[in-house]
Amino acid sequence: MAALTLSGKRVLLGVSAGVAAYKSALITRLLKQAGAEVRVVMTAGAEAFITPLTLQALSGEPVRTSLLDPDAEAGMGHIELARWGDVLLIAPATADLMAKLAHGFADDLLTTLCLASDAPRLIAPAMNQAMWRSPATQRNAATLIEDGWQQVGPDAGDQACGDTGFGRMSEPEAIVTAVEGCLALTPPAAGVDRPAGTRHVVITAGPTREALDPVRYLSKHVLSNRSSGKMGFALAAAALEQGAHVTLISGPVALATPPGAQRIDVASAAEMHREALRLAPEADVFVGCAAVSDYRAAEAAEHKLKKTADEATLTLTLEKNPDIIADVAGLEPARRPPVVAGFAAETRDVRRYAEDKLARKALDMIVANDVSAAGLGFGSDDNAAWLLWRTPEGSASEHQPPQPKTQLARTVIQRALALLPGRPDTRETP
Ligand code: C5P
């Protein structure tokens, strides 16, 4: 990495006890090459995987391993060390460490620093795929995200234990990019101070919630659809990877914002519609990945609706929400993003319905998946899809076999960027 993207930045790197700890040496090196100062803190278990001496040699600073070390505390006390970092990175973060952090334990130096630091905090989980999928780890990951942690990875692939799946730590280069993103958590406003040629990708993600009363809501989940937001967030990460400026308009989800993305949180379809139309004229690519609730209550009650013992049914009047992506695609040419891409979830005739939707909503591209297949689509980590896009001659398509959403997201963003005017369209038309 030649560019000094982290010049003068101070990175506190926590290393916990996973096989991926050996990659912390490369992370340290890449951070240093990017101009950062690095101080490493290891858990006791991490020392079984990589020696402090290696990380000391690469960081050029003493490595701290113990909270109760009078000599080290006499140099830079743990609170001072916590304040020193501009960013706190934990790579690898084991399931055990995530559990401790989620519950506020401070029984060693690293966990204590995590509690004492006000800096942006980034975690790179690494563990066996079953451990990652376990409800306890997923709960802990969600808690950390709610607490403001950023998360990079884990990636899918082969694991040291012989399993295959999500749980591999992200590659060191991706982690360093995420650190850079973390330090630029508030990116410049759209159109300001962006290097010439940077593409702006605006993505809607997650579900929307339509208030029925102050405590209850209606969502697309109730009517037909479940959305975790994973695909939209994977698209944001992929667009960042490909050098774009990314704005993520997100409904309520328990997912970490990909470091570097500008996130705008919304609840209802009306709010998402307002933000989408505000940002669309500045976008090069607009991707509608949100599962927008098709209807909202015609009137949200001011007070909590009361259950009455003698009434077995409740009648609600619903009115249709605006079709966000159709309204973005229908903007006058000067304000319409050059590429508008939508999603379609179908259970049969996927390609035919997708073609209809491409035309009906005046989109440039559509990603259609078959949600009837087990283990694919809503809420899962994998997806298979048909990609359809417009060509001067009509339309073209390609099938993407089952694969991690992160991988499919990369393909979707590449295809969408390739549709931009002035970019060669290198794809094959079947
Ligand atoms: O019509 P349907 O909901 O199947 O279309 C799905 C596509 O349209 C997705 O891209 C979704 O984000 C978008 N959509 C929208 N606003 C709505 C409904 C769907 O942007 N009200």
Side-chain angles (χ1 to χ4, degrees):
M1 193 177 300
L4 291 176
T5 49
L6 292 170
S7 183
K9 296 294 180 195
R10 299 191 292 210
V11 182
L12 203 48
L13 170 61
V15 180
S16 65
V19 183
Y22 77 92
K23 291 189 188 171
S24 61
L26 186 51
I27 295 172
T28 306
R29 214 165 136 240
L30 292 174
L31 289 169
K32 293 284 288 180
Q33 282 173 353
E37 282 179 62
V38 183
R39 284 176 185 259
V40 181
V41 174
M42 298 173 76
T43 63
E47 291 184 60
F49 291 92
I50 183 166
T51 67
L53 194 60
T54 304
L55 296 171
Q56 179 175 313
L58 291 167
S59 66
E61 299 286 346
V63 170
R64 296 281 302 263
T65 52
S66 164
L67 181 60
L68 307 171
D69 177 344
D71 289 343
E73 284 290 306
M76 187 186 270
H78 61 274
I79 299 293
E80 224 180 313
L81 187 58
R83 291 194 190 124
W84 175 86
D86 293 317
V87 60
L88 173 56
L89 163 68
I90 303 193
T94 59
D96 178 64
L97 184 69
M98 290 177 67
K100 282 182 171 169
L101 296 179
H103 292 89
F105 279 69
D107 59 355
D108 65 4
L109 180 60
L110 183 54
T111 48
T112 305
L113 290 176
C114 291
L115 276 190
S117 167
D118 283 331
R121 294 167 301 169
L122 175 68
I123 201 164
M127 65 198 73
N128 164 270
Q129 51 84 24
M131 291 173 76
W132 172 251
R133 279 191 290 111
S134 80
T137 304
Q138 290 300 307
R139 265 197 314 275
N140 293 333
T143 301
L144 291 174
I145 288 160
E146 266 170 43
D147 289 350
W149 285 81
Q150 303 286 307
Q151 185 183 299
V152 52
D155 289 351
D158 294 338
Q159 303 204 295
C161 53
D163 282 5
T164 304
F166 279 88
R168 275 171 65 93
M169 187 170 81
S170 292
E171 290 307 323
E173 290 78 5
I175 292 175
V176 173
T177 305
V179 170
E180 291 163 2
C182 239
L183 286 164
L185 268 183
T186 321
V192 180
D193 278 352
R194 251 184 278 142
T198 306
R199 301 300 194 172
H200 186 190
V201 177
V202 174
I203 300 165
T204 67
T208 63
R209 281 182 183 173
E210 313 298 324
L212 286 183
D213 66 22
V215 291
R216 297 193 186 85
Y217 62 83
L218 196 68
S219 74
K220 189 148 182 167
H221 300 211
V222 178
L223 297 177
S224 64
N225 194 332
R226 312 185 302 280
S227 166
S228 60
K230 283 181 183 169
M231 190 66 208
F233 277 57
L235 288 164
L240 287 161
E241 239 175 55
Q242 290 171 47
H245 171 76
V246 176
T247 307
L248 190 52
I249 307 172
S250 178
V253 294
L255 293 173
T257 312
Q262 183 171 27
R263 172 162 162 181
I264 297 173
D265 284 313
V266 295
S268 66
E271 287 168 18
M272 188 174 274
H273 186 253
R274 187 189 65 224
E275 291 302 319
L277 288 177
R278 182 173 70 80
L279 289 159
E282 301 163 4
D284 296 294
V285 175
F286 181 95
V287 189
C289 191
V292 183
S293 179
D294 294 318
Y295 294 91
R296 62 169 175 259
E299 273 176 61
E302 203 178 319
H303 298 289
K304 190 176 167 198
L305 297 169
K306 287 285 167 215
K307 268 185 280 192
T308 44
D310 49 342
E311 283 183 49
T313 58
L314 168 69
T315 305
L316 291 171
T317 306
L318 303 180
E319 59 189 23
K320 203 153 177 48
N321 269 325
D323 190 320
I324 300 171
I325 203 163
D327 285 356
V328 167
L331 285 170
E332 58 180 276
R335 295 167 58 77
R336 185 193 190 276
V339 175
V340 180
F343 275 71
E346 307 290 351
T347 53
R348 64 195 166 100
D349 287 340
V350 176
R351 199 173 150 171
R352 186 163 62 81
Y353 285 127
E355 260 164 23
D356 288 351
K357 210 164 279 182
L358 186 73
R360 187 161 40 82
K361 300 199 183 205
L363 308 179
D364 303 292
M365 181 173 156
I366 194 153
V367 183
N369 52 334
D370 181 349
V371 290
S372 64
L376 297 176
F378 295 127
S380 86
D381 288 320
D382 288 350
N383 220 350
W386 275 99
L387 264 56
L388 282 78
W389 60 92
R390 280 177 198 272
T391 64
E393 300 78 37
S395 69
S397 64
E398 81 180 2
H399 186 252
Q400 289 288 330
Q403 57 193 283
K405 284 181 176 172
T406 45
Q407 186 52 42
L408 181 64
R410 288 189 187 112
T411 306
V412 170
I413 294 292
Q414 270 162 14
R415 299 281 185 263
L417 289 171
L419 284 181
L420 282 168
R423 297 264 303 235
D425 184 344
T426 50
R427 290 146 312 135
E428 285 172 21
T429 304

